[in-house]
Structures are given as C-alpha cells and as structure tokens.
C-alpha cells in the first residue's frame, strides 16, 4: 500500500490525542484536555466510523464538537449539488443533490459505561426514486418491479437512527451492544460516505452492493467485545434491502446474521474481515438468500496540521444460488492542506445484473471503473466551507457489451458543496 514504508510508530504519548483534529474543537465548553473517547471502547473516537466499524486512529473527523453538561455532541454535514453526465446509449445527463447530516451525542452512564445516540439523514430521496445515472452501478429498485441498472439508488431519508452502550472492563477491554432502526450491521469496511478514502467523492462506488450496501438495514442488533486493537462482533439484522419508498421506516424480522473481526495493529492501519448470511435481501428476488464475505485494509497518514492521506483496499464476494461474484477496490484520497482534496478509485466487479435475461439476472460480466477527481474548498466561517469539484470516470466493459455501452464509456461530474468543518 502507498505509504507503508513509513512504518507507523506509536504517535506521541497519548495515542488518543495525537491525531485528533482540533480544528473543530474550539467551541465554548470544550475541555481540550479530554479528547473525545470512543463510544464502543477505551480508545479515541477517531477510530469509529459508520455503524460499529473501525477506521485507523489517525483518521480525522471534520465537523463541530461541543459539550453540554455530561453530553458531548458531534455534527457532521455535507451537501453536494451535482451535474452528472454519463456517456453512450445507456447514459444521459442529470442534476441531483446528495450528502448527509449526522448528529452524535455521547455521555458517560454509570462509572464504566458510555451511551451514544446517532441520527443521520440524507437528502437523496429528492433525486427521485430512480436515483442518479452511474454506468455499471446496479442494485435495488425504483418501482418494485424492475431492477435499477446503470443507476445509483437514492438512500433513504433516515440512514441511521441508533443507540449504543459500552461497558469498560479494563483500560483495554470493553463489551458493547448497538441497535439501529435503521442501522449498520457488522459487515464490511465503513460505508463509503464515512470512508475517508472516498467520502468526498459524490460518486457512489460500483462495488457498493458487495461491500457496504448493508449500511442502511431496517433493524439491527449488534453485540461485541473489544480488546486493545481487536474487536469481535456479531449482528442479527433485517437483511432485506430498503424498498423504493425512501421516506419511511421499514420493519422486518432480524433474520440475517453478520460476524466481523476488526484489528487495528497500529494507529495508521485498520483491518477487517467479515461474513454475512442474508435472507432474501433483494425485493425482486423473494426466496433467494445471499452469503457475503469481505476483507479490507485502510491505511491513513496524517499530513501536517490539517492534511491526511487515506487508502483503502477491499475485496468482497456475494454468493447466491451457486454463483460467486467478486469485487475488488483500491481507492485513495489525499488532503495535502485545508484547500485541496484529490481522490481516485479503481474497481473491478463481476456483475450479473447489467443485462437482464429471463427475470432478473443475466450473464456475468467483469467490468471496471477508474475514477479521478479533485475538490477545492474555501472556508466561509469557522465551521463551514464551500467547495467546487470535478471528477472523471473511465468505464471498462468486455467487448461483447461495446454496442450496449458505446465507444469508450465514461462519466463526469462537476459539483459544488457545503461542508461542516
Ligand atoms: Cu448505500
């Protein structure tokens, strides 16, 4: 992985403190001597990403941090206005908004307990039920009858409403429970909108339904144990993907299972491997179950006072009815200073939903995508920045799909954004 030879050393004396992003921590009432602790265990909050997933301790959380009485509150927010153009017979142009607003509130409970509440909402339903154009992306449905192909589905208005309680057993050990409606089960790396190596790009990964599409599961209960850099956890959850009604809260049996082992061997590195068995995840394929496996590594380096460089390598496999489909991802984003963010992502996916044969699935095609982009941000106040960005994506399809996708399929997006910082 890039940067690996700068072998990660223990960062200063207090690993929780060393790489905390202090830029948002000048609120009145914030005690600078006590960086925010993790919600699930005895480590710094920078290790925590979406759901109960981990990222490297060196990660930064942009946003507002404030304290009110026993509560510590964090707010993260990002709103993108995107002009999207995808090439070829399956392409078109579309404008859409995407992003998220997330609030987390945490407080001690008893002498060894920590309670955390999270709420996250998305503007995606405003896109309309068919989401936005994105060549080679598949998954979910807009009308309950046909699958979305070459489109990214909108996310639900409520992306996470969850609570967790952790109990410290020692300076290195804890146990925790997490429940969400919706929430994220113990599967995969952090969801892409919380993964430092891709979160600034408004373009969803085409590997989403292999690695992290479970991030909105309508009903999740997870229990886990933490020992130092290790976490072992298991979830019971509603494995059915969200339906096309994006403003509601769905319910269903917690019929699916996920297990994840996470290991952060150094402050710079987060590793996980996970397994899930999902009962009838797809609305259009009742009765068809799916097994998923994933493994990922995230390496994050702090650069100067405000910069970072984060890289994720991930593999995911979904298996159902005797067919295994793999996805490979290598993505990296670098923020050398407060002004610029550069990002790139390479993906290779085996997909059998790009052409529909009798019913839903057609033949399997191995397709790829290389996406490169940049964003320039300008601060407009202490806690708000505006930015302008662009990205270009090259799509790779086998020659048998040349007529379907046209010559040299590609996509481009230009976008403006507002971000809490
Ligand atoms: Cu998603």
């Amino acid at each position: 992985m890039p940067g690996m030879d700068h072998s990660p050393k223990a960062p200063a004396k207090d690993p929780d403190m060393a790489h905390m992003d202090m830029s948002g921590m000048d609120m009145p009432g914030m005690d600078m001597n006590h960086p925010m602790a993790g919600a699930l265990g005895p480590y710094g909050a920078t290790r925590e990403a979406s759901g109960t997933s981990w990222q490297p301790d060196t990660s930064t959380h942009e946003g507002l941090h404030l304290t009110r009485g026993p509560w510590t509150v964090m707010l993260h927010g990002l709103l993108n206005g995107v002009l999207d153009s995808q090439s070829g017979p399956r392409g078109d142009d579309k404008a859409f908004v995407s992003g998220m607003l997330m609030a987390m509130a945490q407080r001690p409970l008893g002498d060894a307990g920590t309670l955390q509440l999270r709420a996250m909402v998305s503007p995606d339903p405003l896109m309309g039920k068919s989401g936005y154009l994105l060549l080679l992306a598949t998954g979910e449905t807009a009308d309950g009858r046909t699958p979305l192909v070459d489109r990214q589905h909108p996310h639900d208005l409520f992306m996470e409403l969850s609570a967790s309680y952790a109990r410290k057993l020692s300076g290195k050990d804890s146990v925790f429970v997490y429940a969400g409606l919706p929430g994220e089960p113990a599967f995969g790396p952090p969801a892409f909108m919380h993964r430092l190596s891709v979160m600034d790009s408004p373009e969803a990964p085409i590997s989403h339904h292999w690695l992290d599409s479970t991030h909105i599961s309508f009903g999740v209960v997870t229990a886990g144990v933490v020992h130092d850099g290790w976490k072992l956890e298991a979830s019971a959850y509603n494995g059915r993907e969200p339906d096309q009604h994006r403003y509601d809260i769905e319910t269903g049996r917690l019929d699916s299972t996920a297990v994840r082992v996470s290991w952060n061997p150094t402050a710079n590195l987060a590793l996980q491997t996970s397994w899930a068995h999902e009962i009838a995840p797809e609305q259009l394929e009742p009765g068809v179950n799916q097994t998923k496996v994933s493994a990922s590594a995230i390496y994050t380096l702090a650069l100067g006072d405000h910069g970072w460089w984060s890289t994720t390598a991930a593999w995911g496999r979904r298996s159902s009815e005797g067919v295994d489909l793999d996805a490979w991802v290598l993505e990296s984003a670098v923020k050398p200073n407060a002004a610029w963010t550069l990002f790139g992502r390479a993906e290779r996916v085996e997909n059998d939903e790009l052409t529909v044969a009798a019913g839903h699935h057609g033949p399997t095609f191995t397709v790829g995508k290389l996406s490169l982009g940049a964003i320039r941000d300008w601060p407009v106040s202490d806690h708000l920045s505006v930015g302008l960005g662009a990205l270009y994506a090259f799509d790779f399809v086998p020659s048998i799909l040349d007529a379907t996708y046209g010559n040299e399929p590609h996509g481009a997006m230009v976008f403006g954004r507002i971000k809490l910082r």
Side-chain angles (χ1 to χ4, degrees):
M1 266 182 154
M4 277 299 266
D5 14 346
H6 311 285
S7 71
K9 309 228 166 41
K13 274 185 193 140
D14 181 350
D16 296 352
M17 189 76 187
H19 293 281
M20 279 296 275
D21 177 16
M22 295 298 183
S23 59
M25 298 185 65
D26 51 356
M27 301 297 289
M30 186 69 207
D31 182 346
M32 297 292 285
N33 295 319
H34 293 279
M36 192 166 165
L40 306 179
Y43 48 77
T46 56
R47 187 182 297 183
E48 291 174 347
S50 59
T52 56
S53 67
W54 276 0
Q55 59 187 352
D57 291 359
T58 43
S59 308
T60 56
H61 278 159
E62 278 193 273
L64 273 67
H65 306 226
L66 50 152
T67 54
R68 291 290 179 272
W71 292 93
T72 305
V73 177
M74 286 211 280
L75 295 172
H76 305 301
L78 174 64
L79 189 67
N80 293 306
V82 186
L83 297 174
D84 172 18
S85 177
Q86 306 283 311
S87 75
R90 290 186 167 198
D92 202 351
D93 300 335
K94 168 154 177 151
F96 66 89
V97 291
S98 69
M100 57 110 180
L101 182 66
M102 180 173 182
M104 299 198 287
Q106 182 180 314
R107 62 162 294 166
L109 204 64
D111 51 351
T114 304
L115 173 72
Q116 190 186 62
L117 308 174
R118 276 194 205 179
M120 180 171 24
V121 292
S122 157
D124 282 16
L126 298 172
M127 294 171 189
K129 286 183 174 173
S130 57
Y132 61 90
L133 288 148
L134 187 63
L135 293 182
L136 306 179
T138 57
E140 305 192 11
T141 175
D143 57 10
R145 292 185 307 276
T146 51
L148 283 168
V149 179
D150 296 307
R151 306 192 74 97
Q152 167 62 36
H153 65 79
H155 288 96
D156 284 63
L157 169 66
F158 295 105
M159 290 212 284
E160 185 170 357
L161 295 170
S162 72
S164 66
Y165 172 76
R167 193 176 171 79
K168 222 182 272 186
L169 303 176
S170 78
K172 285 185 172 180
D173 299 270
S174 66
V175 290
F176 68 87
V177 289
Y178 162 96
L181 182 68
E184 182 178 314
F187 182 80
F192 70 86
M193 54 278 282
H194 299 276
R195 211 153 73 218
L196 211 48
S197 51
V198 59
M199 66 191 294
D200 287 285
S201 171
E203 181 194 47
I206 60 170
S207 53
H208 188 39
H209 282 261
W210 280 250
L211 289 172
D212 52 1
S213 64
T214 46
H215 66 115
I216 303 180
S217 292
F218 279 100
V220 183
V221 176
T222 302
V225 294
V226 172
H227 171 70
D228 207 3
W230 290 87
K231 171 165 57 72
L232 173 65
E233 57 192 325
S235 302
Y237 65 106
N238 173 8
R240 173 64 70 96
E241 291 175 348
D243 65 19
Q244 68 273 24
H245 308 291
R246 302 292 178 179
Y247 290 97
D248 62 350
I249 299 275
E250 298 164 44
T251 54
R253 296 227 310 273
L254 306 186
D255 53 8
S256 301
T257 309
V259 179
R260 177 167 58 195
V261 181
S262 303
W263 182 33
N264 283 26
T266 73
N268 300 91
L269 192 57
L271 309 172
Q272 69 84 28
T273 181
S274 47
W275 170 93
H277 183 65
E278 301 186 333
I279 304 303
E282 300 194 25
Q283 184 181 344
L284 303 182
E285 294 188 312
V288 178
N289 300 337
Q290 217 171 83
T291 301
K292 289 180 178 170
V293 192
S294 84
S296 64
I298 305 177
Y299 184 78
T300 301
L301 211 55
L303 300 177
D305 287 342
H306 299 288
W308 46 260
W309 178 21
S310 182
T311 301
T312 300
W315 164 77
R317 168 172 290 179
R318 32 195 291 205
S319 308
S320 72
E321 301 185 309
V323 179
D324 294 336
L325 300 174
D326 285 1
W328 297 88
V329 181
L330 181 64
E331 65 191 18
S332 194
V334 60
K335 192 175 171 77
N337 51 50
W340 287 95
T341 310
L342 309 174
F343 55 89
R345 181 169 67 225
E347 294 170 281
R348 182 181 186 275
V349 176
E350 294 169 354
N351 193 326
D352 66 357
E353 296 172 36
L354 295 169
T355 59
V356 180
H360 186 187
H361 294 254
T364 299
F365 299 107
T366 301
V367 296
K369 186 165 197 145
L370 176 66
S371 187
L372 301 165
I375 305 164
R376 172 72 163 90
D377 286 304
W378 293 269
V380 291
S381 77
D382 278 359
H383 294 290
L384 209 59
S385 65
V386 296
L388 222 47
L391 67 86
Y392 192 90
F394 303 87
D395 296 286
F396 304 97
V397 300
S399 51
I400 193 169
L401 290 179
D402 277 354
T404 310
Y405 282 94
N407 206 19
E408 295 178 355
H410 60 270
M413 293 183 183
V414 293
F415 54 99
R417 72 176 189 175
I418 305 172
K419 192 173 186 180
L420 290 179
R421 61 187 203 115

